[in-house]
Amino acid sequence: MTTQTAAVIGLGSMGYGVASSLLRAGHTVHGFDINPDSMARFVSEGGAEGAMADVAGNCDVVISVVINAAQTETVLFGDDGIVPHLKPGTVVMSCATVAPDFAREMEAKCHEAGCLYLDAPISGGPQRSAKGELSVLASGTPDAFDKARPCLDAMASQVYELGDEAGPGSAMKAINQMLVGINLAGMAEALTFGMTQGVSPEKFAEIIPQCAGTSWVLENRVPHVVAGDYTPLSAVDIWPKDLGICLDVAHSAKFGAPVTAAALQQWLAAQGSGLGREDDAALVKVYARNAGLDLPGKS
Amino acid sequence: MTTQTAAVIGLGSMGYGVASSLLRAGHTVHGFDINPDSMARFVSEGGAEGAMADVAGNCDVVISVVINAAQTETVLFGDDGIVPHLKPGTVVMSCATVAPDFAREMEAKCHEAGCLYLDAPISGGPQRSAKGELSVLASGTPDAFDKARPCLDAMASQVYELGDEAGPGSAMKAINQMLVGINLAGMAEALTFGMTQGVSPEKFAEIIPQCAGTSWVLENRVPHVVAGDYTPLSAVDIWPKDLGICLDVAHSAKFGAPVTAAALQQWLAAQGSGLGREDDAALVKVYARNAGLDLPGKS
């Protein structure tokens, strides 16, 4: 197996799992984060040391696992950005959910700098990230795929190759997030609607997954509601951000997305009422509060 | 096996399948419909003859498979309604999607008339109906279940027993229809949004079913869009009706359902623009028209 030198920028719940998965696969991995504790923890678990400007020139692969487009631009091209320090031919994988146009812009700037670029949004959540079992919705040049392959293999169980330039990867991620954001809101709305009709969350969880109304996220999240456990696996805060990206992209394309827009209002109400850091199944709390319903678990 | 005498009222795409399934199971089955051709066809395939008022007193089971609450009330208790002609202990199964309160009202009126009542909305579509493989979301007294059992066994592969009185069956059906109506609208919105970003329906159909954004209806309906085939398996016309019921029930419960309401507007646009009799996957045409997109297949 080819072992590479990689930098993972952003050691949050997703990035830490990516970095750890690369380590387990035998790569040399530098981890960077604005939180020094996360960096120290990663070094204590086998991560390589060194300041970014010093080690960047040794890297084969840079994986950016930050929150959004603004952070992506900062870590790649900001005052302390890594790209100017990279050697020619290094591949930059960008994993944040961003607009396809932004991905194309980043690819052009990386090409100008002599680097390769992979538009590579990830999905699967922190647990699959920790196991190296993410899904990657990727597009980029064949060279970029070739160079990134050993790291992709280490971090992902499925890599969808969606085209030979940046854009389609981010487009497919936006499509998926639109669906998840809608289906989750639908789940929250239908579950609490059912409670007004005497159907308990437990009964909903027993019957609906066997009916035509089921969805992947419904089956995944309903157990959190039944258990009253909103420990964040995927947080409410993700959805105003990601549906906002979807609607910005839709607006640019003169595409009306009324169901997405309605779902976004519910996510904003969840965020605005202090639920942002809870698991996204907590959207049910917005509906329950508005309808005077008592959900299972601690109130 | 117990063979029974049954009347099936409503020989549309769902009811004809129910009646045929009962015949195959060896029951004596009278079929009734406002369309005399449907009745003649059913007799030619083995259905029993006789006017409703004459044969009603022989029936063990009456299965109403009409469109909505108004038709249900008419066929059961209208001027030519069947219930006054039934012998005591006959079970009336009502399969239309109706409000739980309406189901409770029908149960009370049937009990007054000395009959049993099963609140028994069905799902699965015409193809599963024809095979006797429907799902039934049922609630009613143990006596009603016992009396209906041979016919339930003939028409359904799954019978969910949701409680010992009318109401919960219709409530669970409304919950399921809310989810399907939302998830289908989300599918249509996300698929056409993707087209604005260069993601073809074929690519969507290849990738999204493997991602977190998938749902049962998405996987079931996307092939219709890819094939450009809108032969109605489940028609657009169902959704303004069923989401309307959901929102009426929600309104009565002072439950705000903004995502359902947004989805309903799209279904109304589909119906209003002449797509009512097409397969419900044709909701994509509303989005495509609004965004100037060309869908696969005949335009």
Side-chain angles (χ1 to χ4, degrees), chain B residues 167-230:
Chain B
S170 286
M172 195 65 83
K173 181 73 193 292
I175 294 167
N176 185 61
Q177 296 305 84
M178 179 182 280
L179 284 161
V180 174
I182 289 171
N183 292 353
L184 271 176
M187 182 273 279
E189 190 160 304
L191 182 143
T192 46
F193 167 68
M195 290 174 71
T196 70
Q197 302 303 306
V199 175
S200 68
E202 291 78 6
K203 203 72 181 173
F204 180 98
E206 179 192 337
I207 305 294
I208 293 295
Q210 305 177 65
C211 295
T214 194
S215 63
W216 188 88
V217 287
L218 184 151
E219 294 176 34
N220 189 264
R221 303 304 205 279
V222 162
H224 306 179
V225 180
V226 170
D229 182 358
Y230 299 96

Side-chain angles (χ1 to χ4, degrees), chain B residues 82-166:
Chain B
I82 195 169
V83 173
H85 303 286
L86 300 175
K87 64 186 175 194
T90 298
V91 61
V92 174
M93 283 179 57
S94 175
C95 299
T97 300
V98 301
D101 278 347
F102 176 83
R104 281 184 278 268
E105 184 190 329
M106 290 298 104
E107 180 185 56
K109 290 179 77 168
C110 282
H111 286 181
E112 270 172 42
C115 295
L116 301 165
Y117 185 83
L118 204 62
D119 176 22
I122 53 182
S123 86
Q127 292 171 318
R128 284 175 53 197
S129 183
K131 289 191 229 170
E133 295 178 358
L134 289 169
S135 294
V136 184
L137 298 163
S139 65
T141 61
D143 282 357
F145 273 108
D146 287 348
K147 188 76 179 246
R149 187 70 61 192
C151 288
L152 283 171
D153 287 346
M155 65 192 267
S157 55
Q158 291 209 279
V159 178
Y160 299 101
E161 302 193 17
L162 300 170
D164 58 6
E165 58 181 356

